[in-house]
Amino acid sequence: MKRALCLALSVVATAGLVFGATSTATDSIRADVSSAETPSSSVESLDAWIDSVRRQHNIPAMGAIVFRADTILASGIAGVRRSNSTTPVEERDRFQLGSNTKAITATVLATLVEEGKLKWTTTLLEVFPELRDSITADFRPVTIDLLLTHHAGISPFEDTEAKDFKSIPRLSGTPTERRAAFTAWVLRGKPAGPVGGKGLYSNGGFTIAGAIAERITGESWESLVRARVFKPLGLTGSFAWSDSPDVNQPWGHYETRDGTRPVDPRDPGERVPPIIWPAGSVELSLEDYARFLQVNLRGLQGHDTPLLKAATIKHLHTSPVSPPDKYGLGWGLQDFDGAPASVHTGSAGTFYAITIIQPTRDLGVAVFANAGGERASAATTEAIKALIRRFAKAGEK
C-alpha cells in the first residue's frame, strides 16, 4: 500500500515525513479557531473537550497535553484504541510521533556534540572517509548543521510511491547496515536542491543523520534513542513497525469517505522501511512526550538540563544559515500570535502528532490522533490553536 511519509514542520501544514499530506511549511498557525470552542477554565482535565473535538471530526481517539517548563497544566484523552473495538484509550497509551521523531534524532546527535565526538561543522566526508572517491562534489561541504536543517540538498523521500523512493536499490542486512548503504548511495548521486541554499525538507537527510550516529558510536539508532533519550528522561518509548508490535496499543487509521479504517500493526504491507525510521518512527505517550518537550522548553529559557546544556538546546532551535530561515535542527521555527515558537507535525498516514513550544510564554502543547488524513490534520490543528491561545491568555492574567 502507498505510504506517504509526511513528517511535517508547520503546525498548519503537514509537511515532510508527513507520511501522507502535502507540504505547505511556509504557512503559519495564525488562522482563527473556527469550529471548536476553547476549553473551560478548569485545567484538571481536557477529556470532555478533546472528546468533543474528535467526535466533530470523526477521529477514533485524540489526546492533548498542555505544560510549562516544570509542570503540566492540563491533559486529556478520549476515544477508542481502534474503530472496530470498544476498548477506550488510556493516558499511558503510545501514539506514533511521525516526523516529530526528527527532534529526537537531532537530540541524539547533540549528545555526541556535547561529548566531543562530533561538531556541528563536521562534514559528511569526515564521518564517512571511505566515500572520498565516490561522494558527489556538491555534497562534500555538507555539515551536521546543514543536514539537520534540511539544507543538504538531499531528496525528500516523502512518499514510498514517489520516484526517489522507488529508485532506492535493494538493501540488505541490519537496519544499521541498510542505513549506511543508503547513505553511500545517496551521496553518490546528484543533489535534489542547493546545498546551503533554500531548505528542502528531507526524510532522507535524517536517515543519514541516523547513520552518522551509528558510525560514530558503533550502536544502532534505536539503541541510541533508548540510551540517550528514553532512559535519562524515564520514558517508556517504542518504535513503530517493530518486529513485535503491541496490538493492545492504539492502532492507526486511514481516512476513508465514510470515516476511518483501522490498520493492523502486524500487517507487513503497512511497514515503513527501517532506513527511514530516524525520520519518523518513535512512539510515546502524551506524558512522556511532554517530558521531552519540557527539556527543550527549559533549555530555550536558559536552563541546563540533565539531557543537554541550554546552549546546545538553543542551537537545536536556531537556523544556521544566513539570513535565518524557518528550519531548526529537527524543528520548524515561526511566530505564533506575536511570540516565537518551535513547531512540528508528523504523520505516517495513520497517526497524527502536532506540537508547539513558546519559551517566552513558558508554554507548550502537544496533540495526538490515531488517524491520518485531512480530518486528523484539521482536528489536531484546531485543538492546538485553541489550547495555546487559551493557556497563553490564562498565563497573562
Side-chain angles (χ1 to χ4, degrees):
M1 176 172 286
K2 181 178 179 179
R3 299 287 293 186
L5 310 181
C6 186
L7 303 166
L9 171 72
S10 164
V11 216
V12 146
T14 0
L17 211 328
V18 189
F19 288 82
T22 303
S23 172
T24 54
T26 57
D27 293 343
S28 72
I29 60 175
R30 293 182 177 278
D32 291 334
V33 181
S34 58
S35 55
E37 296 179 359
T38 55
S40 69
S41 59
S42 172
V43 299
E44 284 78 17
S45 174
L46 297 172
D47 289 354
W49 181 77
I50 204 71
D51 190 46
S52 70
V53 177
R54 74 151 193 101
R55 287 178 181 275
Q56 180 182 352
H57 292 274
N58 199 11
I59 305 298
M62 283 182 64
I65 193 162
V66 186
F67 52 89
R68 300 204 188 281
D70 296 308
T71 189
I72 302 298
L73 297 176
S75 65
I77 194 164
V80 292
R81 287 176 172 168
R82 63 178 193 260
S83 59
N84 58 357
S85 168
T86 58
T87 305
V89 286
E90 299 178 359
E91 287 184 359
R92 295 297 300 172
D93 280 355
R94 297 188 297 273
F95 288 67
Q96 289 181 18
L97 298 187
S99 229
N100 293 16
T101 296
K102 288 180 172 68
I104 293 175
T105 296
T107 296
V108 169
L109 268 68
T111 65
L112 298 176
V113 170
E114 287 200 343
E115 291 173 4
K117 296 176 180 178
L118 277 178
K119 297 179 180 178
W120 297 122
T121 55
T122 298
T123 65
L124 299 181
L125 192 55
E126 289 176 291
V127 179
F128 304 105
E130 72 278 11
L131 303 181
R132 183 172 303 278
D133 295 332
S134 61
I135 187 171
T136 300
D138 287 342
F139 286 131
R140 287 177 176 267
V142 171
T143 62
I144 304 297
D145 259 348
L146 294 178
L147 186 71
L148 294 179
T149 55
H150 307 290
H151 292 97
I154 308 297
S155 189
F157 297 100
E158 66 179 359
D159 189 328
T160 54
E161 293 298 304
K163 182 179 179 181
D164 59 357
F165 221 107
K166 286 190 170 184
S167 67
I168 300 173
R170 184 178 296 275
L171 306 174
S172 60
T174 65
T176 293
E177 291 169 338
R178 279 178 271 178
R179 287 189 278 261
F182 173 87
T183 297
W185 172 74
V186 167
L187 297 183
R188 289 196 300 268
K190 295 180 179 179
V195 173
K198 183 178 179 180
L200 176 64
Y201 193 91
S202 175
N203 297 311
F206 274 77
T207 289
I208 294 174
I212 288 171
E214 291 172 330
R215 170 60 64 88
I216 294 297
T217 64
E219 301 177 50
S220 71
W221 170 82
E222 294 83 354
S223 66
L224 290 168
V225 170
R226 292 189 186 99
R228 292 172 176 263
V229 180
F230 291 176
K231 186 176 180 179
L233 298 181
L235 312 185
T236 306
S238 58
F239 301 97
W241 313 291
S242 61
D243 292 333
S244 301
D246 184 351
V247 295
N248 294 316
Q249 290 294 314
W251 288 22
H253 294 74
Y254 282 120
E255 182 178 80
T256 68
R257 179 177 299 177
D258 300 321
T260 55
R261 176 173 65 81
V263 176
D264 191 329
R266 298 164 295 188
D267 184 350
E270 296 296 337
R271 294 176 66 85
V272 169
I275 57 168
I276 214 75
W277 288 5
S281 71
V282 167
E283 298 178 323
L284 291 173
S285 69
L286 277 168
E287 181 182 340
D288 281 352
Y289 188 42
R291 289 184 191 176
F292 172 74
L293 297 172
Q294 285 176 310
V295 166
N296 285 269
L297 194 52
R298 286 194 288 272
L300 288 171
Q301 293 170 341
H303 304 296
D304 290 344
T305 75
L307 194 62
L308 293 171
K309 295 177 181 177
T312 304
I313 292 172
K314 289 180 179 179
H315 188 89
L316 292 173
H317 294 260
T318 302
S319 170
V321 298
S322 183
D325 65 8
K326 62 194 173 188
Y327 294 109
L329 285 70
W331 287 96
L333 309 174
Q334 63 180 68
D335 282 345
F336 176 61
D337 283 356
S342 293
V343 302
H344 221 286
T345 69
S347 173
T350 60
F351 283 84
Y352 210 95
I354 184 168
T355 191
I356 176 172
I357 57 176
Q358 293 190 292
T360 60
R361 286 175 165 168
D362 189 23
L363 185 63
V365 181
V367 181
F368 290 167
N370 65 338
E374 292 181 2
R375 285 199 296 271
S377 173
T380 54
T381 301
E382 181 178 285
I384 205 166
K385 291 175 183 175
L387 290 168
I388 200 75
R389 286 172 171 152
R390 162 68 180 84
F391 285 93
K393 184 177 180 180
E396 293 168 357
K397 291 180 179 179

